[in-house]
Amino acid sequence: MESDFVSWLLRSLPQDQRLEVPAGDDAAVLRPPATRRTVVTVDLLTEGVDFLLTGNAGAAAFPPPASPWQVGYKAVAVNLSDLAAMAARPEAIVVAVALPRQGGRQLGEEIAAGVAACATEFSVTQAGGDTNAWDGPLVLSVTALGSVAPQQAWRRDAARPGDALVVTGPVGGSLLGRHLAVTPRCREALAIAAGFPVHAAIDVSDGLALDVSRLLAASGVGGVLDLAAIPIHADAVRLSTLGPEDGRDPLGHALGDGEDFELVLAMPPAAAAELVACPPEQLVAGTTMQPTIIGKVTATSGLQGRQPDGSVGPLAPKGFDHVFD
Amino acid sequence: MESDFVSWLLRSLPQDQRLEVPAGDDAAVLRPPATRRTVVTVDLLTEGVDFLLTGNAGAAAFPPPASPWQVGYKAVAVNLSDLAAMAARPEAIVVAVALPRQGGRQLGEEIAAGVAACATEFSVTQAGGDTNAWDGPLVLSVTALGSVAPQQAWRRDAARPGDALVVTGPVGGSLLGRHLAVTPRCREALAIAAGFPVHAAIDVSDGLALDVSRLLAASGVGGVLDLAAIPIHADAVRLSTLGPEDGRDPLGHALGDGEDFELVLAMPPAAAAELVACPPEQLVAGTTMQPTIIGKVTATSGLQGRQPDGSVGPLAPKGFDHVFD
């Protein structure tokens, strides 16, 4: 029953100073940090599109099915990645779930454990939620709240011609498993924001080429990606030989796979050079971040790619787009 | 396609001074009202449980199927009802949707129109969202943000023995159509909060008896409902004769149906008497609110009912609880 599950869930939530009224009321009351802005984002994950659930995935070995714990962790992590792309400090989440009636209790508990693990790791308070049961597949919707100083959020519409484009780590091939072990660049974003000027940012959720093209279009500018400079993840190389045969080479996977949850930053070139020269460990202890300059922002609109031979031509903004009509 | 739909949606959103960064970025940035708390709540609606969609409802005449516009409106309204139950001023919403692939675009546009209508009516800004397509039924998740002065939120855990219990309007029979035309008591809550002491509050979403019992349990107290005093909606009377034959009388519907979205308030008896004596129109122009005293809070735990003959006995906390195992 919903009421038993919610009682269990509420008992499991840690206390948090940020909550004047904690989860369990009609709504939660948050003490927002003085003089800071509230940043809000939502991501809804559906079984069959964002993940295949262990046990329901049939015989498919690829993409690897997710445990309920992983689904819970991922649903929080992808939202925190959006906060990172705004240079916002994560503060709170609310979680809504539609559970299948059969086995929903155990599923709910495992999801809640994954949610709690990610929330704890990134010091986010669980401010509330909504538990539903139905005859459909699993749906999980997380809304994340963050905070940022006034006018300090990294927008996606403020890249300037001449900016360097930086990506915080290698991309491609996430479906081999990284799509279920998302590491949002929250600490990295805060450290970079504290030390470097960033004009615009976006996280790579749907595909490097698509997400860069979104940033450029929102800013009313264009850009050239230096294809030889794009850090290709080992998974992209592996997927080009092991994955479903669609003829894409490792670079194709790096440009179009998405779910990398690295950040793309548009920065003054000198600052970008300084960032990539700085040992990442010096910025954030224990980080796996590896910032790389991958191109530049131009005044002419559209996304271009520079081949290793120096020739420049249009680059398709490939990536994931939900299809419906 | 998701991208076309989202472009259309973003163009349709009005500008709002509360947004430093509007919808369309990785997250929205809100300017929170100075010195106020942030109130957050989420409600997820699923097709088949919270509504039957016109066209997918088969030949069923009862409960009446919902248009996509009504689903959008309701998804916002039920969240605003939770904010009302906290005496919070509605500020912003984010909306996540999982659309069916076939016909998703038109469905999405009609839902968006319903969302916008409710947001406009209650002066709420649309701060963002997430659009998904899948092979499952329609799912809509709304997170609402409100604001309230420090320590002024109506909690559900602060009712005191001796308090009078007040309901803001007649209840029962909502499935005849009121469940699709939800009027959240936002303005009423703010007006009452400004003029009367309220110790605790909850909105009637799952059933009067169940929601009152939740308020009492959270407060560590008990209560007696005066069954002859409960304002029974005309729909409850009609449903007891027309609806699915489960043998419930009008009072049974009033106590257990839910989706009334009236507020239950625990208040000092003198203040409650003053509230019910005050012409509602004087508090909120155009309101349909009709506050009624329906019982009192006691020190002994548990929910009791007083029969018209004066006898008092346990009252089952009937109402809606999602069933899963």
Side-chain angles (χ1 to χ4, degrees):
Chain A
M1 293 284 278
E2 173 195 358
S3 48
D4 305 326
F5 175 71
V6 171
S7 299
W8 168 83
L9 197 57
L10 291 175
R11 282 194 306 273
S12 77
L13 296 180
Q15 291 195 319
D16 195 299
Q17 252 305 101
R18 287 169 289 196
L19 296 173
E20 184 178 298
V21 179
D25 213 306
D26 294 284
V29 180
L30 289 152
R31 297 183 181 94
T35 78
R36 286 170 74 87
R37 300 296 190 225
T38 296
V39 185
V40 60
T41 184
V42 61
D43 262 306
L44 180 147
L45 306 189
T46 57
E47 185 178 352
V49 176
D50 296 286
F51 57 86
L52 301 174
L53 211 51
T54 319
N56 295 354
F62 181 85
S67 71
W69 190 99
Q70 288 175 313
V71 172
Y73 190 98
K74 175 177 178 170
V76 178
V78 299
N79 275 283
L80 299 187
S81 179
D82 280 322
L83 293 184
M86 305 299 290
R89 185 172 73 209
E91 302 283 359
I93 52 169
V94 292
V95 179
V97 64
L99 296 167
R101 295 187 198 281
Q102 287 279 335
R105 174 67 192 246
Q106 198 190 331
L107 191 59
E109 291 190 14
E110 291 175 33
I111 290 169
V115 165
C118 192
T120 302
E121 191 174 336
F122 291 92
S123 303
V124 174
T125 187
Q126 295 183 64
D130 183 31
T131 303
N132 302 267
W134 73 327
D135 297 317
L138 178 62
V139 178
L140 190 56
S141 177
V142 174
T143 302
L145 302 178
S147 71
V148 69
Q151 305 296 336
Q152 295 304 301
W154 289 345
R155 310 172 62 113
R156 72 169 60 165
D157 62 0
R160 303 176 200 172
D163 280 351
L165 293 168
V166 175
V167 68
T168 54
V171 289
S174 61
L175 268 186
L176 284 177
R178 273 160 43 242
H179 71 304
L180 299 176
V182 175
T183 304
R185 295 296 189 194
C186 297
R187 298 180 186 106
E188 291 81 357
L190 296 181
I192 294 171
F196 301 87
V198 173
H199 291 154
I202 194 168
D203 69 327
V204 183
S205 51
D206 292 333
L208 179 67
L210 179 56
D211 288 316
V212 167
S213 76
R214 285 171 172 162
L215 179 148
L216 298 174
S219 301
V221 295
V224 182
L225 288 184
D226 185 357
L227 299 178
I230 289 171
I232 296 173
H233 199 282
D235 287 341
V237 178
R238 206 146 66 88
L239 193 53
S240 68
T241 57
L242 294 181
E245 195 40 75
D246 60 3
R248 283 188 298 157
D249 59 5
L251 179 62
H253 283 287
L255 288 171
D257 280 357
E259 299 228 274
D260 303 295
F261 298 103
E262 297 293 349
L263 302 177
V264 172
L265 312 172
M267 311 171 63
E274 211 182 313
L275 174 60
V276 300
C278 176
E281 275 278 346
Q282 202 171 299
L283 281 174
V284 182
T287 184
T288 57
M289 166 174 77
Q290 298 169 275
T292 308
I293 296 173
I294 57 169
K296 65 174 182 184
V297 177
T298 60
T300 334
S301 70
L303 180 64
Q304 311 267 315
R306 172 176 289 110
Q307 302 294 336
D309 66 8
S311 63
V312 172
L315 186 66
K318 286 205 179 127
F320 182 78
D321 199 11
H322 281 281
V323 179
F324 57 92
D325 53 29
Chain B
M1 293 283 277
E2 173 195 358
S3 49
D4 305 325
F5 175 72
V6 172
S7 300
W8 168 82
L9 197 57
L10 291 176
R11 283 193 306 274
S12 78
L13 296 181
Q15 291 194 321
D16 196 299
Q17 252 305 103
R18 287 169 289 196
L19 296 174
E20 183 176 299
V21 178
D25 213 305
D26 294 284
V29 181
L30 289 152
R31 297 183 182 95
T35 78
R36 285 171 75 87
R37 301 296 191 225
T38 296
V39 185
V40 60
T41 183
V42 61
D43 262 305
L44 182 145
L45 306 189
T46 58
E47 186 178 351
V49 177
D50 296 285
F51 57 86
L52 300 175
L53 210 52
T54 320
N56 296 354
F62 182 84
S67 71
W69 191 97
Q70 288 175 312
V71 173
Y73 190 98
K74 175 178 178 170
V76 178
V78 299
N79 275 282
L80 299 187
S81 179
D82 280 322
L83 294 184
M86 305 299 289
R89 185 171 72 208
E91 301 282 359
I93 52 168
V94 292
V95 180
V97 63
L99 296 166
R101 295 188 199 279
Q102 288 279 336
R105 173 67 191 247
Q106 199 191 330
L107 191 59
E109 291 191 14
E110 290 175 32
I111 290 169
V115 165
C118 192
T120 302
E121 191 174 337
F122 291 93
S123 302
V124 174
T125 188
Q126 294 182 64
D130 183 31
T131 304
N132 302 267
W134 74 327
D135 297 318
L138 178 62
V139 179
L140 190 57
S141 176
V142 174
T143 302
L145 303 178
S147 71
V148 69
Q151 306 296 336
Q152 295 304 302
W154 288 345
R155 310 172 62 113
R156 72 169 62 165
D157 63 0
R160 303 177 200 171
D163 280 350
L165 292 168
V166 175
V167 69
T168 54
V171 290
S174 61
L175 268 185
L176 284 177
R178 272 156 49 238
H179 71 303
L180 298 176
V182 175
T183 303
R185 296 295 188 195
C186 297
R187 297 180 186 107
E188 292 80 0
L190 296 182
I192 294 170
F196 300 86
V198 173
H199 291 155
I202 194 168
D203 69 328
V204 183
S205 51
D206 293 333
L208 179 69
L210 180 56
D211 289 316
V212 167
S213 75
R214 285 170 173 161
L215 179 148
L216 298 173
S219 301
V221 295
V224 182
L225 288 184
D226 185 357
L227 299 177
I230 289 172
I232 296 173
H233 199 283
D235 287 341
V237 178
R238 206 145 67 87
L239 192 53
S240 69
T241 58
L242 295 181
E245 195 38 75
D246 59 1
R248 283 189 298 158
D249 60 6
L251 178 63
H253 283 287
L255 288 171
D257 280 357
E259 299 228 272
D260 302 296
F261 298 104
E262 297 293 349
L263 301 177
V264 171
L265 312 171
M267 313 171 63
E274 211 182 314
L275 174 60
V276 302
C278 177
E281 275 279 345
Q282 200 171 303
L283 282 173
V284 182
T287 185
T288 57
M289 166 174 77
Q290 298 168 276
T292 308
I293 295 173
I294 57 170
K296 64 173 183 184
V297 177
T298 60
T300 333
S301 70
L303 179 64
Q304 312 268 316
R306 172 176 289 111
Q307 302 292 336
D309 67 6
S311 64
V312 173
L315 187 66
K318 286 205 180 126
F320 183 79
D321 199 12
H322 280 282
V323 179
F324 57 91
D325 53 29

